[in-house]
Amino acid sequence: MNHNTATIAVRELTRKFGPFTAVDHISFDVYAGEVFGFLGANGAGKTTAIRILTGLLMPTSGQAQVAGFDVWRQPEQIKRHIGYMSQKFSLYQDLTPLENIRFFGGVYGLSLRTIRQKSEMLMERLGMQAVAHRLVGTLPLGWRQKLAFSLALLHEPRIVFLDEPTSGVDPLTRRTFWEMIRTEAAKGTTIFVTTHYMDEAEYCDRVSIMVRGHIAALDTPQALKVQFGAEHMEAVFLKLTRPSEL
Amino acid sequence: MSIQVHGLVKRYGPLTAVAGVSFEVAAGEIFGLTGPDGAGKSSLFRMLTTLMRPDEGGGKVVGFDMLDEFLEIRRRIGYMPDVFSLYEDLTVRENLNFFARVFGVRIEDNYHLIREVYEPLKPFEGRRAGHLSGGMKQKLALSCALIHQPQALFLDEPTTGVDAVSRKEFWDILYRIRARGVAILVATPYMDEAARCDRLALMQQGRLLTQGTPQALLESYPHHLYAIEVAQPWRWLELLRSHPKVHRAVLAGEVIHVSSLEPLDLTYMRQWLVDSGVTAANFYPVQPDIEDLFIALMDQKAHPTGL
């Protein structure tokens, strides 16, 4: 992790929907090569914040730069320079792996030659040559996950947003997926990830927890556990989001 | 037994979604069904709720035959499908009225059954269901599934995508419903929730890998399990996997879980870690959790995830 290079810089970022403030003056930096866990209860404002940071939604006030581009003035540049993956949608199930690569390569404006090279390289690296022409929907989940993650990285973004990438996945695939995330981060890619699995918060370098539009806590998992006198991240999460019950 | 089924099979063309499933659930029992997406959980639910006929097998639900007496079953069960299935363009109150009238009950008569679930929705009774937050939709769906006093409750992933706190609240409610003698079948992809069931089954590729009380299942863990506490655990997985006695090494929250087919010598392993450059590591035996068991059983069934 390189603390000198903030690939995401957020200052007093705010988004209102009518009288409701979904994101309320949040500020943080995320660094190159960092795995940043973005946690919070349902309705805390995570999705709104992610939509702003991925160039899909304008803020109401505040500043944010993503991969060096401004969310106000350069949302299209942001979209081009980030990767995105969610469990709900990341691959066309009724296309083959090769067709998916060609589609996403085309969307990101890669040349046909680059797409061809990337296709060969990916199929070999993922060990998927034998299934390159089978429909993605018929492939085992582990392969689909690896392929989806590789596609989010196809255009070599400096930042990849992973929105609940492991929800509904078996425990082995889930843990193996996190190994892939750590490997990619070690190459210098920034990983911005959300999850409802609290054990996965432990795999992050730093974790932020959003509560009602604010960032209620932000630190390493270790420091958060010390700060809140909790043994696990789940207890940290509970203390922050439902303090009245404890 | 409130639910008693045997040999259930469901095929979709060449795909066998449910491949011979048998189990029982007693009144006042929470039976959990856990497994990844695509394991066949929802197909199983649709057969049990009589929305889909099994290709093979059968059984009884709340005392009636699944195949011949499905109308009797439908009157006596509550079902919360895996996708939000209420009327999004009706208000909260209109949805509840609708379900009460379909089942021929009066909300006033049965309100005590749903009070704790429905009370948080009271301020929003005039809001359209489509405009509710995820947590509130979940509470409304549960209210509508409970209003006719069902003897069995079928909950298909009621907490998927729900944060850890709301999940805990949901389970507190389930325990109170159980106390009224309702049989509850609940599917969940979160294996920490599985441990909260009275009994549970692990499901993968259409089959139940195992079933029993959480305690009995954990005692059946077939391997020996150890934890390694070390900074940045992901850096050491490949090294651990290179050791001939290590069967599997996986991330497990803040530690690594290492399984082996035979007991490992702690002193030897600790020295081996130091010699291999893993300093400041703590190595000790550990009790498996449901996910460890699931992974071990996936191994035994030659799990083809492509990993």
Side-chain angles (χ1 to χ4, degrees):
Chain A
M1 203 194 327
N2 183 347
H3 271 281
N4 298 320
T5 325
T7 49
I8 302 176
V10 178
R11 295 289 175 275
E12 303 290 322
L13 193 69
T14 300
R15 171 71 206 207
K16 295 181 182 175
F17 294 103
F20 175 65
T21 306
V23 174
D24 197 355
H25 296 86
I26 62 171
S27 302
F28 59 89
D29 289 321
V30 186
Y31 303 103
E34 184 174 34
V35 178
F36 188 84
F38 195 60
L39 311 186
N42 297 116
K46 289 191 315 275
T47 304
T48 302
I50 291 173
R51 287 178 67 204
I52 297 172
L53 296 180
T54 51
L56 297 174
L57 183 73
M58 281 287 157
T60 306
S61 63
Q63 300 300 323
Q65 292 221 326
V66 179
F69 299 102
D70 186 273
V71 293
W72 288 98
R73 293 180 292 108
Q74 299 165 297
E76 292 308 314
Q77 292 284 14
I78 290 175
K79 286 180 206 165
R80 234 166 269 169
H81 288 85
I82 59 167
Y84 177 84
M85 172 190 167
S86 79
Q87 183 57 29
K88 286 184 200 106
F89 173 77
S90 36
L91 293 173
Y92 286 98
Q93 304 292 317
D94 47 0
L95 296 183
T96 68
L98 284 178
E99 287 166 343
N100 268 290
I101 297 173
R102 218 171 81 200
F103 176 81
F104 283 99
V107 165
Y108 284 112
L110 304 185
S111 71
L112 276 178
R113 198 164 134 237
T114 310
I115 292 174
R116 210 172 300 126
Q117 285 169 348
K118 291 240 175 207
S119 299
E120 274 174 38
M121 196 188 73
L122 267 182
M123 289 299 99
E124 194 190 317
R125 207 180 69 210
L126 301 177
M128 290 180 68
Q129 293 103 324
V131 298
H133 295 285
R134 270 177 55 185
L135 297 187
V136 162
T138 67
L139 298 179
L141 184 64
W143 271 347
R144 295 208 303 263
Q145 282 266 352
K146 282 199 273 192
L147 183 61
F149 189 56
S150 303
L151 282 180
L153 297 166
L154 194 65
H155 54 301
E156 298 172 19
R158 290 164 62 199
I159 303 169
V160 61
F161 288 84
L162 305 174
D163 196 3
E164 293 185 33
T166 54
S167 107
V169 171
D170 71 68
L172 186 55
T173 306
R174 204 156 73 73
R175 291 155 196 240
T176 312
F177 188 76
W178 273 93
E179 286 182 47
M180 286 173 53
I181 292 178
R182 292 301 333 184
T183 305
E184 190 57 36
K187 295 181 196 161
T189 308
T190 300
I191 314 279
F192 189 97
V193 58
T194 72
T195 180
H196 284 307
Y197 293 98
M198 287 303 122
D199 61 324
E200 296 186 346
E202 303 279 357
Y203 310 144
C204 300
D205 294 309
R206 286 187 305 149
V207 168
S208 76
I209 299 177
M210 258 185 109
V211 179
R212 288 184 295 276
H214 300 273
I215 296 211
L218 198 175
D219 214 325
T220 64
Q222 189 51 40
L224 287 175
K225 284 184 277 185
V226 171
Q227 184 188 339
F228 290 91
E231 200 175 332
H232 297 291
M233 282 303 294
E234 171 132 20
V236 173
F237 189 82
L238 289 172
K239 283 193 177 183
L240 275 168
T241 49
R242 296 288 196 282
S244 56
E245 289 185 8
L246 296 157
Chain B
M1 282 298 153
S2 190
I3 303 168
Q4 199 165 20
V5 294
H6 52 85
L8 292 178
V9 172
K10 185 66 202 178
R11 300 186 194 90
Y12 304 110
L15 174 79
T16 302
V18 179
V21 164
S22 309
F23 66 95
E24 296 177 347
V25 187
E29 182 177 44
I30 299 181
F31 189 89
L33 197 59
T34 188
D37 291 353
K41 302 190 298 290
S42 294
S43 292
L44 187 56
F45 270 82
R46 278 182 220 126
M47 289 191 280
L48 293 166
T49 51
T50 76
L51 299 176
M52 191 164 77
R53 282 175 81 87
D55 293 315
E56 291 173 32
K60 288 191 167 183
V61 176
V62 295
F64 295 93
D65 187 271
M66 277 174 75
L67 303 176
D68 300 332
E69 300 172 296
F70 57 88
L71 288 177
E72 298 298 327
I73 293 175
R74 287 182 192 178
R75 280 186 201 118
R76 293 171 173 83
I77 61 169
Y79 175 38
M80 218 174 125
D82 56 335
V83 287
F84 184 68
S85 302
L86 302 183
Y87 293 95
E88 303 226 342
D89 48 356
L90 293 187
T91 65
V92 167
R93 184 69 185 192
E94 286 166 344
N95 267 293
L96 188 62
N97 285 340
F98 176 84
F99 280 89
R101 291 193 61 177
V102 162
F103 285 105
V105 298
R106 284 165 22 126
I107 293 175
E108 308 81 78
D109 295 341
N110 285 357
Y111 191 72
H112 63 282
L113 298 171
I114 64 165
R115 177 173 290 117
E116 65 208 334
V117 194
Y118 190 75
E119 209 66 22
L121 290 169
K122 274 259 170 183
F124 308 102
E125 278 197 313
R127 191 183 285 192
R128 287 184 188 191
H131 294 166
L132 295 175
S133 72
M136 288 201 279
K137 280 182 177 170
Q138 177 206 46
K139 288 190 171 72
L140 179 58
L142 185 59
S143 303
C144 292
L146 280 173
I147 190 66
H148 59 297
Q149 197 165 7
Q151 296 165 33
L153 194 53
F154 294 86
L155 308 172
D156 192 359
E157 300 209 0
T159 57
T160 292
V162 173
D163 67 66
V165 177
S166 308
R167 292 210 311 260
K168 187 178 169 295
E169 290 174 352
F170 193 80
W171 275 87
D172 292 340
I173 291 172
L174 285 195
Y175 288 142
R176 291 197 283 268
I177 297 170
R178 174 182 67 182
R180 294 185 213 134
V182 178
I184 302 176
L185 181 72
V186 58
T188 175
Y190 300 102
M191 298 203 184
D192 58 330
E193 292 193 340
R196 293 175 178 163
C197 304
D198 297 314
R199 285 188 306 130
L200 77 144
L202 310 190
M203 192 167 187
Q204 166 92 344
Q205 294 180 323
R207 290 191 166 78
L208 302 189
L209 299 175
T210 185
Q211 55 178 308
T213 65
Q215 194 192 342
L217 289 189
L218 293 178
E219 282 167 8
S220 76
Y221 183 73
H223 304 145
H224 301 271
L225 194 69
Y226 304 85
I228 301 180
E229 254 177 54
V230 62
Q232 302 195 308
W234 48 87
R235 292 175 57 205
W236 306 108
L237 293 166
E238 287 307 321
L239 171 75
L240 289 163
R241 287 168 189 157
S242 73
H243 192 286
K245 287 199 170 173
V246 168
H247 175 64
R248 210 178 250 295
V250 295
L251 293 171
E254 64 270 52
V255 297
I256 298 172
H257 276 187
V258 168
S259 63
S260 63
L261 302 181
E262 49 190 286
L264 295 176
D265 183 315
L266 294 182
T267 314
Y268 161 79
M269 281 305 291
R270 284 169 186 150
Q271 189 57 48
W272 179 78
L273 285 169
V274 172
D275 293 347
S276 307
V278 192
T279 50
N282 198 357
F283 183 91
Y284 52 90
V286 71
Q287 295 297 317
D289 59 25
I290 294 292
E291 293 210 354
D292 292 310
L293 177 67
F294 198 97
I295 290 172
L297 295 178
M298 284 165 80
D299 276 357
Q300 291 181 336
K301 313 269 168 174
H303 171 65
T305 55
L307 293 171

